[in-house]
Amino acid sequence: MTLKVAIAGAGHIAEVHAKAVKNQGGQVVATIEKFADKAAAFAQKFSIANQYATLEEALAGGKFDALIIGTPNFLHAAQAIAALKAGIPVLVEKPMALNATEAEEMLETSLRANVVLMVGHCWRFDEETRWLKQQTSQLGTIVRTKGYGVHTHWGPGGWFTQKHLSGGGAIADIGIHAIDTARFLLGDPHPVSVFARMGTYYKDCDVDDTGIIIVNWDNGATSYIETGWCQPYVDGPQASTQLYGTKGFAQLFPTRVLLPNLKPENSFVKLLPGRLRSKFRRKEEVEVKSGFKFPRQDHYPQSMYDRQMAHFFECIQNNRTPIPGAAEGLVNMKIVDAAYESAKTGEVVRLQSVLDLTSLATMKS
């Protein structure tokens, strides 16, 4: 069955999703965009038959099997909830909502309606991220991670820089990518505390353009994350993540694993006192190469979004809960909210259990 899809929004990310729909055998049958000129250009580019100014019009007059939301953040919750209540599966761009309260309402709606809700944390579908995830068992216990969600020498304008429309600045825009990538590579632990420092130094706006976030997880690991717009330098491209384990080191972009290789002790070394013996037992690093080139030609490949769309389609067709779904999106929003609170108060923010799985199961039943 060819899935018929409506897309809310007509900007860059809407075009990426439209290509992904086509590449997965779907059909974009409607665009939802209040600016008529943008809607017309988008519809013409992708041969979309129907144009609507609002989601309400589309739900009333359109026939489509799924909705993709690529609108400004302040619209995410209202549009997703309306579609879910109408029985329409939703893929919503990150951040999931303006805040965790809205995200929780979206999650509850999807569970009560038993309708698929997926959140576009796209780096989980990148082939290098997935390769590295498969290697993490070699690292022993992962003690800490370091990741980046940073734009150097530029930053977005328009609604991205207006708090009432975006909910936040660099952390909500790209820092959330670094947060979710670290969490994915760690096996999706839950956050127990967040500490953050943020400020606005490079842009004239009412949201953050600079930040550091420290997240402590319930598996004992700690993640340090840098986020920002217009920064003068960054150690790695978007979603680049380093993993420090008790048995080795791994890195995303450039993607590789470094494992220690202890030289066997010869008969002479065995006769030495312990302190001297340790000097002779020097560790050599063995690199497990991923085979991926760095830097890569396109850091945001269409194939990543194609895999994301394939997962969305599969979940719709089999009524499966997507990963990343509303639960993963809510965890990230809890971290973002806690980071803003910490930056405001200067204190560590402790988080209780983000999800009460018992109550959520009750909602779904």
Side-chain angles (χ1 to χ4, degrees):
M1 180 185 81
T2 299
L3 283 174
K4 296 180 179 180
V5 179
I7 298 181
H12 168 72
I13 196 61
E15 294 194 4
V16 172
H17 288 311
K19 292 175 185 176
V21 169
K22 181 180 178 181
N23 291 344
Q24 295 307 312
Q27 181 184 7
V28 181
V29 297
T31 177
I32 302 162
E33 170 60 57
K34 73 173 183 177
F35 296 107
D37 55 340
K38 291 180 65 176
F42 184 66
Q44 182 177 12
K45 185 171 184 177
F46 293 97
S47 302
I48 302 171
N50 303 293
Q51 299 175 43
Y52 302 97
T54 67
L55 177 60
E56 290 72 23
E57 292 178 12
L59 291 173
K63 293 182 179 180
F64 48 90
D65 304 308
L67 172 69
I68 298 171
I69 299 175
T71 51
N73 302 344
F74 78 100
L75 295 171
H76 288 186
Q79 291 181 331
I81 289 169
L84 292 167
K85 286 182 176 179
I88 303 295
V90 172
L91 167 58
V92 60
E93 259 302 322
K94 61 77 207 167
M96 183 177 177
L98 285 179
N99 51 56
T101 300
E102 288 188 350
E104 200 161 54
E105 186 178 357
M106 294 163 69
L107 171 60
E108 291 173 357
T109 302
S110 71
L111 290 171
R112 288 196 176 100
N114 194 23
V115 179
V116 168
L117 173 57
M118 182 172 172
V119 182
H121 290 298
C122 57
W123 292 101
R124 291 177 180 242
F125 298 93
D126 181 81
E127 60 179 344
E128 294 191 45
T129 309
R130 289 186 162 194
W131 180 89
L132 192 63
K133 181 71 165 63
Q134 294 174 347
Q135 312 305 314
T136 55
S137 60
Q138 302 181 69
L139 303 179
T141 300
I142 299 175
V143 177
R144 63 187 176 96
T145 76
K146 185 177 183 181
Y148 308 95
V150 175
H151 289 319
T152 53
H153 307 297
W154 76 279
W159 65 264
F160 285 92
T161 63
Q162 301 173 54
K163 188 173 183 178
H164 68 288
L165 301 179
S166 64
I171 184 177
D173 176 31
I174 53 173
I176 201 167
H177 279 312
I179 292 169
D180 186 70
T181 303
R183 185 168 183 254
F184 173 65
L185 292 171
L186 286 169
D188 283 328
H190 285 279
V192 295
S193 69
V194 176
F195 178 77
R197 282 287 183 266
M198 296 185 206
T200 308
Y201 305 100
Y202 297 93
K203 293 180 72 67
D204 182 15
C205 60
D206 67 349
V207 295
D208 54 288
D209 64 20
T210 303
I212 58 169
I213 304 106
I214 298 174
V215 182
N216 289 314
W217 307 97
D218 65 359
N219 66 355
T222 298
S223 291
Y224 168 85
I225 292 157
E226 296 181 8
T227 181
W229 294 328
C230 304
Q231 302 294 295
Y233 178 79
V234 65
D235 288 330
Q238 186 178 125
S240 178
T241 307
Q242 300 168 0
L243 307 174
Y244 297 80
T246 55
K247 294 183 179 180
F249 169 83
Q251 186 174 16
L252 179 64
F253 310 137
T255 305
R256 58 182 184 151
V257 175
L258 297 178
L259 300 173
N261 180 29
L262 287 175
K263 286 185 177 180
E265 295 182 357
N266 58 36
S267 58
F268 167 73
V269 172
K270 290 179 180 179
L271 296 175
L272 295 173
R275 184 174 295 180
L276 285 174
R277 187 187 305 168
S278 65
K279 290 184 178 181
F280 281 90
R281 290 178 63 217
R282 296 182 64 86
K283 293 182 179 180
E284 293 182 347
E285 288 183 332
V286 176
E287 181 176 358
V288 181
K289 296 183 179 181
S290 66
F292 297 108
K293 293 182 179 180
F294 180 82
R296 55 190 190 181
Q297 186 173 6
D298 183 2
H299 190 61
Y300 313 90
Q302 180 64 40
S303 60
M304 175 170 67
Y305 296 95
D306 290 350
R307 291 188 199 96
Q308 178 177 256
M309 193 62 63
H311 183 61
F312 181 48
F313 282 10
E314 181 186 0
C315 290
I316 293 171
Q317 292 163 343
N318 297 294
N319 194 27
R320 288 176 47 200
T321 300
I323 300 176
E328 288 74 23
L330 175 58
V331 170
N332 291 330
M333 292 310 306
K334 290 277 190 179
I335 294 170
V336 170
D337 283 5
Y340 281 124
E341 183 180 347
S342 176
K344 182 179 179 180
T345 64
E347 302 292 333
V348 172
V349 174
R350 302 196 179 278
L351 297 174
Q352 296 179 341
S353 178
V354 175
L355 298 174
D356 182 342
L357 298 179
T358 302
S359 64
L360 294 180
T362 301
M363 289 176 199
K364 194 164 186 177
S365 62

